[in-house]
Amino acid sequence: MKIRIAWIGKTKEPAIRALTEEYLKRISRYAQLEAAELRNESALLGMCGQQASGKAGKSTLVLMDSRGKQLSSEAFARFLEDYQDRNPLPLVFAVGPADGFSEATRRAAQHTISLGAMTLAHELARVVLLEQVYRAFTILKRHPYHSAH
């Protein structure tokens, strides 16, 4: 399974950068992984080969957005497992800019997932997403990381 984690905007906080690198390293044990710091939504759509009409491109785009579907950690793990079993395209998780995604980008996405009802700073949302992707793989591999909580 190939996963891309993409975010829009430069990382300003060293602590966020360090956590990002740590979780990217952890996830890479379980999946082929790429990370991308992008300038804007156009760069995201171009990277995915998506069109604003929602027509599928060369990857599956999953937006992280407060208006998306809320999943438990276990349900998110099942989402990854089902995708891995059924779809050969890379899976792109995208964290938007501070002011959220445009409607055009929302239309282009195949999935929209929420990290919860609370609003998170976009840099913090990236770290939460990375931790949940890592947690999902540990759930699927029955690693004690998840069960110890």
Side-chain angles (χ1 to χ4, degrees), residues 112-144:
T112 305
I113 296 176
S114 172
L115 294 171
M118 292 183 169
T119 301
L120 298 173
H122 66 287
E123 287 188 335
L124 185 55
R126 179 193 338 148
V127 173
V128 173
L129 166 63
L130 288 166
E131 192 280 336
Q132 286 299 301
V133 171
Y134 174 67
R135 182 176 297 275
F137 280 113
T138 65
I139 290 169
L140 295 174
K141 298 295 184 183
R142 299 194 187 337
H143 184 278

Short mmCIF file of all heavy atoms in Angstrom, two decimals, residues 112-144:
data_model
loop_
_atom_site.label_atom_id
_atom_site.label_comp_id
_atom_site.label_asym_id
_atom_site.label_seq_id
_atom_site.Cartn_x
_atom_site.Cartn_y
_atom_site.Cartn_z
N THR A 112 -13.92 12.31 2.71
CA THR A 112 -13.64 13.40 3.64
C THR A 112 -13.82 12.83 5.05
O THR A 112 -14.88 12.29 5.37
CB THR A 112 -14.59 14.60 3.43
OG1 THR A 112 -14.50 15.01 2.06
CG2 THR A 112 -14.22 15.77 4.31
N ILE A 113 -12.78 12.94 5.84
CA ILE A 113 -12.77 12.38 7.19
C ILE A 113 -12.48 13.49 8.18
O ILE A 113 -11.63 14.35 7.95
CB ILE A 113 -11.73 11.26 7.31
CG1 ILE A 113 -12.10 10.09 6.40
CG2 ILE A 113 -11.59 10.79 8.76
CD1 ILE A 113 -11.08 8.97 6.37
N SER A 114 -13.18 13.44 9.30
CA SER A 114 -12.98 14.41 10.38
C SER A 114 -12.14 13.78 11.48
O SER A 114 -12.31 12.60 11.80
CB SER A 114 -14.33 14.84 10.95
OG SER A 114 -14.15 15.64 12.11
N LEU A 115 -11.27 14.56 12.06
CA LEU A 115 -10.50 14.11 13.22
C LEU A 115 -11.25 14.36 14.52
O LEU A 115 -10.75 14.05 15.58
CB LEU A 115 -9.14 14.81 13.25
CG LEU A 115 -8.20 14.46 12.11
CD1 LEU A 115 -6.98 15.37 12.10
CD2 LEU A 115 -7.79 13.00 12.19
N GLY A 116 -12.45 14.91 14.42
CA GLY A 116 -13.27 15.17 15.60
C GLY A 116 -14.03 16.47 15.46
O GLY A 116 -13.80 17.25 14.55
N ALA A 117 -14.94 16.68 16.38
CA ALA A 117 -15.81 17.85 16.32
C ALA A 117 -15.08 19.14 16.68
O ALA A 117 -15.50 20.23 16.30
CB ALA A 117 -17.01 17.65 17.24
N MET A 118 -13.99 19.04 17.42
CA MET A 118 -13.25 20.24 17.81
C MET A 118 -12.41 20.74 16.64
O MET A 118 -11.90 19.94 15.84
CB MET A 118 -12.35 19.95 18.99
CG MET A 118 -13.08 19.68 20.26
SD MET A 118 -11.85 19.44 21.55
CE MET A 118 -12.91 19.46 22.96
N THR A 119 -12.21 22.04 16.56
CA THR A 119 -11.35 22.62 15.55
C THR A 119 -9.90 22.52 16.02
O THR A 119 -9.59 22.83 17.16
CB THR A 119 -11.72 24.10 15.32
OG1 THR A 119 -13.08 24.16 14.92
CG2 THR A 119 -10.85 24.74 14.26
N LEU A 120 -9.04 22.05 15.12
CA LEU A 120 -7.62 21.94 15.43
C LEU A 120 -6.83 22.86 14.50
O LEU A 120 -7.19 23.04 13.35
CB LEU A 120 -7.13 20.51 15.18
CG LEU A 120 -7.74 19.40 16.01
CD1 LEU A 120 -7.26 18.04 15.51
CD2 LEU A 120 -7.37 19.57 17.47
N ALA A 121 -5.74 23.40 15.01
CA ALA A 121 -4.81 24.13 14.15
C ALA A 121 -4.33 23.16 13.08
O ALA A 121 -4.13 21.97 13.36
CB ALA A 121 -3.63 24.64 14.98
N HIS A 122 -4.15 23.63 11.85
CA HIS A 122 -3.84 22.70 10.76
C HIS A 122 -2.54 21.95 10.97
O HIS A 122 -2.44 20.78 10.59
CB HIS A 122 -3.89 23.42 9.40
CG HIS A 122 -2.84 24.45 9.19
ND1 HIS A 122 -2.86 25.67 9.81
CD2 HIS A 122 -1.73 24.43 8.43
CE1 HIS A 122 -1.80 26.36 9.44
NE2 HIS A 122 -1.10 25.64 8.60
N GLU A 123 -1.53 22.56 11.58
CA GLU A 123 -0.30 21.83 11.85
C GLU A 123 -0.52 20.73 12.90
O GLU A 123 0.02 19.64 12.78
CB GLU A 123 0.82 22.77 12.29
CG GLU A 123 1.36 23.61 11.16
CD GLU A 123 2.59 24.40 11.56
OE1 GLU A 123 2.77 24.70 12.76
OE2 GLU A 123 3.37 24.74 10.66
N LEU A 124 -1.32 21.01 13.89
CA LEU A 124 -1.63 20.01 14.91
C LEU A 124 -2.49 18.89 14.31
O LEU A 124 -2.30 17.72 14.62
CB LEU A 124 -2.34 20.66 16.10
CG LEU A 124 -2.63 19.76 17.29
CD1 LEU A 124 -1.36 19.09 17.80
CD2 LEU A 124 -3.29 20.56 18.39
N ALA A 125 -3.41 19.25 13.43
CA ALA A 125 -4.24 18.24 12.75
C ALA A 125 -3.37 17.25 11.99
O ALA A 125 -3.65 16.05 11.97
CB ALA A 125 -5.23 18.92 11.81
N ARG A 126 -2.30 17.73 11.39
CA ARG A 126 -1.38 16.83 10.67
C ARG A 126 -0.78 15.80 11.62
O ARG A 126 -0.73 14.61 11.32
CB ARG A 126 -0.28 17.62 10.00
CG ARG A 126 0.69 16.71 9.29
CD ARG A 126 1.98 17.37 8.85
NE ARG A 126 1.91 18.79 8.72
CZ ARG A 126 2.94 19.59 8.97
NH1 ARG A 126 4.09 19.10 9.35
NH2 ARG A 126 2.82 20.89 8.82
N VAL A 127 -0.34 16.25 12.79
CA VAL A 127 0.26 15.32 13.76
C VAL A 127 -0.78 14.32 14.24
O VAL A 127 -0.50 13.12 14.36
CB VAL A 127 0.90 16.09 14.94
CG1 VAL A 127 1.37 15.13 16.02
CG2 VAL A 127 2.06 16.94 14.44
N VAL A 128 -2.00 14.78 14.50
CA VAL A 128 -3.07 13.87 14.93
C VAL A 128 -3.35 12.85 13.83
O VAL A 128 -3.49 11.65 14.09
CB VAL A 128 -4.34 14.65 15.31
CG1 VAL A 128 -5.50 13.71 15.58
CG2 VAL A 128 -4.08 15.52 16.53
N LEU A 129 -3.42 13.28 12.58
CA LEU A 129 -3.63 12.36 11.47
C LEU A 129 -2.51 11.32 11.41
O LEU A 129 -2.77 10.12 11.30
CB LEU A 129 -3.68 13.12 10.14
CG LEU A 129 -3.55 12.26 8.87
CD1 LEU A 129 -4.72 11.30 8.75
CD2 LEU A 129 -3.43 13.15 7.65
N LEU A 130 -1.27 11.76 11.49
CA LEU A 130 -0.15 10.83 11.43
C LEU A 130 -0.20 9.82 12.57
O LEU A 130 0.03 8.63 12.36
CB LEU A 130 1.17 11.60 11.46
CG LEU A 130 1.51 12.38 10.20
CD1 LEU A 130 2.64 13.37 10.45
CD2 LEU A 130 1.83 11.44 9.05
N GLU A 131 -0.54 10.28 13.76
CA GLU A 131 -0.64 9.35 14.88
C GLU A 131 -1.74 8.33 14.64
O GLU A 131 -1.58 7.15 14.94
CB GLU A 131 -0.89 10.12 16.19
CG GLU A 131 -0.71 9.27 17.45
CD GLU A 131 -1.89 8.39 17.80
OE1 GLU A 131 -3.03 8.70 17.38
OE2 GLU A 131 -1.70 7.38 18.50
N GLN A 132 -2.86 8.77 14.07
CA GLN A 132 -3.97 7.85 13.81
C GLN A 132 -3.65 6.86 12.69
O GLN A 132 -4.08 5.72 12.74
CB GLN A 132 -5.25 8.63 13.52
CG GLN A 132 -5.86 9.27 14.75
CD GLN A 132 -6.24 8.23 15.80
OE1 GLN A 132 -7.04 7.33 15.55
NE2 GLN A 132 -5.67 8.36 16.99
N VAL A 133 -2.90 7.28 11.69
CA VAL A 133 -2.48 6.35 10.65
C VAL A 133 -1.56 5.30 11.26
O VAL A 133 -1.72 4.10 11.03
CB VAL A 133 -1.78 7.08 9.47
CG1 VAL A 133 -1.14 6.09 8.50
CG2 VAL A 133 -2.78 7.97 8.74
N TYR A 134 -0.62 5.75 12.09
CA TYR A 134 0.27 4.80 12.77
C TYR A 134 -0.55 3.86 13.67
O TYR A 134 -0.37 2.65 13.64
CB TYR A 134 1.31 5.56 13.60
CG TYR A 134 2.16 4.64 14.44
CD1 TYR A 134 3.05 3.74 13.85
CD2 TYR A 134 2.06 4.65 15.83
CE1 TYR A 134 3.82 2.89 14.62
CE2 TYR A 134 2.84 3.80 16.60
CZ TYR A 134 3.71 2.92 15.99
OH TYR A 134 4.46 2.06 16.76
N ARG A 135 -1.45 4.42 14.45
CA ARG A 135 -2.30 3.61 15.33
C ARG A 135 -3.10 2.59 14.51
O ARG A 135 -3.24 1.43 14.90
CB ARG A 135 -3.25 4.50 16.12
CG ARG A 135 -4.15 3.75 17.10
CD ARG A 135 -5.00 4.70 17.94
NE ARG A 135 -4.18 5.55 18.77
CZ ARG A 135 -3.72 5.21 19.97
NH1 ARG A 135 -4.00 4.03 20.47
NH2 ARG A 135 -2.98 6.05 20.67
N ALA A 136 -3.63 2.99 13.37
CA ALA A 136 -4.41 2.08 12.53
C ALA A 136 -3.59 0.87 12.12
O ALA A 136 -4.05 -0.27 12.18
CB ALA A 136 -4.93 2.81 11.30
N PHE A 137 -2.35 1.11 11.71
CA PHE A 137 -1.51 -0.02 11.32
C PHE A 137 -1.18 -0.91 12.52
O PHE A 137 -1.13 -2.13 12.38
CB PHE A 137 -0.23 0.46 10.63
CG PHE A 137 -0.45 0.81 9.19
CD1 PHE A 137 -0.33 2.11 8.75
CD2 PHE A 137 -0.79 -0.17 8.26
CE1 PHE A 137 -0.54 2.44 7.42
CE2 PHE A 137 -1.01 0.14 6.92
CZ PHE A 137 -0.89 1.45 6.50
N THR A 138 -0.99 -0.31 13.70
CA THR A 138 -0.72 -1.15 14.87
C THR A 138 -1.96 -1.97 15.25
O THR A 138 -1.84 -3.10 15.71
CB THR A 138 -0.23 -0.33 16.08
OG1 THR A 138 -1.25 0.56 16.53
CG2 THR A 138 1.06 0.42 15.74
N ILE A 139 -3.14 -1.41 15.03
CA ILE A 139 -4.37 -2.18 15.26
C ILE A 139 -4.43 -3.36 14.31
O ILE A 139 -4.70 -4.49 14.72
CB ILE A 139 -5.62 -1.27 15.10
CG1 ILE A 139 -5.71 -0.27 16.25
CG2 ILE A 139 -6.90 -2.11 15.00
CD1 ILE A 139 -6.73 0.83 16.05
N LEU A 140 -4.17 -3.11 13.04
CA LEU A 140 -4.24 -4.18 12.03
C LEU A 140 -3.20 -5.27 12.27
O LEU A 140 -3.45 -6.45 12.00
CB LEU A 140 -4.07 -3.59 10.63
CG LEU A 140 -5.18 -2.64 10.19
CD1 LEU A 140 -4.83 -2.01 8.84
CD2 LEU A 140 -6.52 -3.35 10.12
N LYS A 141 -2.04 -4.88 12.80
CA LYS A 141 -0.96 -5.85 13.05
C LYS A 141 -1.02 -6.42 14.47
O LYS A 141 -0.14 -7.17 14.86
CB LYS A 141 0.41 -5.19 12.81
CG LYS A 141 0.62 -4.71 11.40
CD LYS A 141 0.66 -5.85 10.41
CE LYS A 141 0.98 -5.33 9.02
NZ LYS A 141 0.96 -6.36 8.02
N ARG A 142 -2.04 -6.01 15.21
CA ARG A 142 -2.22 -6.45 16.59
C ARG A 142 -1.00 -6.13 17.48
O ARG A 142 -0.63 -6.89 18.36
CB ARG A 142 -2.56 -7.93 16.65
CG ARG A 142 -3.86 -8.24 15.91
CD ARG A 142 -4.40 -9.57 16.20
NE ARG A 142 -5.52 -10.09 15.49
CZ ARG A 142 -6.49 -9.50 14.83
NH1 ARG A 142 -6.50 -8.22 14.71
NH2 ARG A 142 -7.47 -10.14 14.24
N HIS A 143 -0.41 -5.00 17.21
CA HIS A 143 0.71 -4.50 18.00
C HIS A 143 0.13 -3.92 19.30
O HIS A 143 -0.95 -3.35 19.28
CB HIS A 143 1.44 -3.43 17.18
CG HIS A 143 2.66 -2.90 17.83
ND1 HIS A 143 2.65 -1.93 18.80
CD2 HIS A 143 3.97 -3.21 17.65
CE1 HIS A 143 3.88 -1.66 19.18
NE2 HIS A 143 4.70 -2.42 18.49
N PRO A 144 0.84 -4.02 20.41
CA PRO A 144 0.28 -3.55 21.69
C PRO A 144 0.13 -2.03 21.82
O PRO A 144 -0.49 -1.56 22.77
CB PRO A 144 1.26 -4.08 22.73
CG PRO A 144 2.50 -4.42 21.99
CD PRO A 144 2.10 -4.74 20.58
#
